[in-house]
Amino acid sequence: MIFRSPIKFCRNCGTAVTYRLPDDGDTRERAVCPHCNTVHYENPLNVVGTVPVMDDGRVLLCKRNIEPRKGKWTLPAGFMELAETTAMGARRETDEEAGADIEMGRLFSLINVPQVGQVHFFYLAYLRAEKCYPGPETMEAQLFAEADIPWNEIAFRTVKVTLERYFEDRKAGVLNRGHIHCVDLNV
């Protein structure tokens, strides 16, 4: 079950909406405006981020300075904005949260989280320098070898799964083979 506030008013005219099957043959209940007949669709949110890595395999993690899960570690990521590609959003989030100088790599993982209405996209990113300049959403940014990652302090399951896949692929020597990890998570 998705826990989002329901749409209450039409974005076009401000009239209170009703939830019903639209007249266009749709098979799902939607928020429909009884005044202007606008159908309001609710779609998943895209979360975009990177797995910023050094040549030696260390990964850059950010300690969150905002809720949810303030004080926990995460990969630099956030919600994709309008007029962005997933890669553009991932780069922007990495700059905003970590202030890291990166070279964008390929899409690494795509994780469906239907229970919360989200799809998470993580790209590999290659750090050009160790120094980072974290933004206000980050308490600190730090490089971690696999053995040093605070696994019990990872903020989100999607981040943990992505990190586990990264280290598995690195050990197996298949990071550059171009496969994408597609995962469906049940909360």
Side-chain angles (χ1 to χ4, degrees):
M1 176 182 283
I2 298 173
F3 299 103
R4 278 198 200 154
S5 296
I7 296 170
K8 294 181 181 175
F9 299 97
C10 178
R11 289 185 296 250
N12 291 333
C13 71
T15 301
V17 299
T18 59
Y19 276 81
R20 65 174 178 80
L21 292 177
D23 298 331
D24 62 3
D26 198 336
T27 59
R28 290 185 179 210
E29 274 196 356
R30 309 283 184 186
V32 180
C33 177
H35 178 71
C36 70
N37 295 315
T38 299
V39 178
H40 297 278
Y41 297 91
E42 297 177 81
N43 303 108
L45 295 171
N46 293 321
V47 173
V48 292
T50 61
V51 182
V53 298
M54 294 296 296
D55 287 339
D56 63 6
R58 289 179 296 158
V59 175
L60 180 68
L61 296 179
C62 298
K63 188 179 246 185
R64 292 177 60 80
N65 196 31
I66 58 171
E67 294 295 348
R69 301 193 176 100
K70 184 175 180 177
K72 302 289 185 183
W73 293 93
T74 190
L75 291 166
F79 292 111
M80 184 175 160
E81 299 285 348
L82 293 174
E84 285 184 329
T85 65
T86 54
M88 289 166 58
R91 176 184 289 282
R92 175 186 50 76
E93 286 291 342
T94 303
D95 183 52
E96 288 176 3
E97 293 186 8
D101 183 13
I102 59 169
E103 177 184 328
M104 287 293 289
R106 65 174 178 78
L107 181 62
F108 180 73
S109 70
L110 183 156
I111 304 174
N112 295 299
V113 194
Q115 295 80 1
V116 293
Q118 296 179 0
V119 180
H120 294 215
F121 300 84
F122 287 99
Y123 286 81
L124 287 176
Y126 304 96
L127 289 159
R128 293 184 179 127
E130 287 192 27
K131 185 71 178 152
C132 296
Y133 303 91
E137 294 182 4
T138 302
M139 289 180 188
E140 65 177 292
Q142 186 176 330
L143 286 164
F144 290 93
E146 180 180 12
D148 301 323
I149 288 184
W151 291 105
N152 292 331
E153 295 297 316
I154 298 297
F156 305 105
R157 195 164 155 216
T158 56
V159 170
K160 185 175 184 203
V161 167
T162 298
L163 287 169
E164 289 168 346
R165 299 302 187 279
Y166 167 74
F167 288 114
E168 287 169 9
D169 283 5
R170 183 168 169 75
K171 283 179 191 162
V174 296
L175 269 178
N176 297 321
R177 290 203 183 150
H179 69 279
I180 298 171
H181 294 279
C182 266
V183 179
D184 295 335
L185 287 185
N186 296 319
V187 175

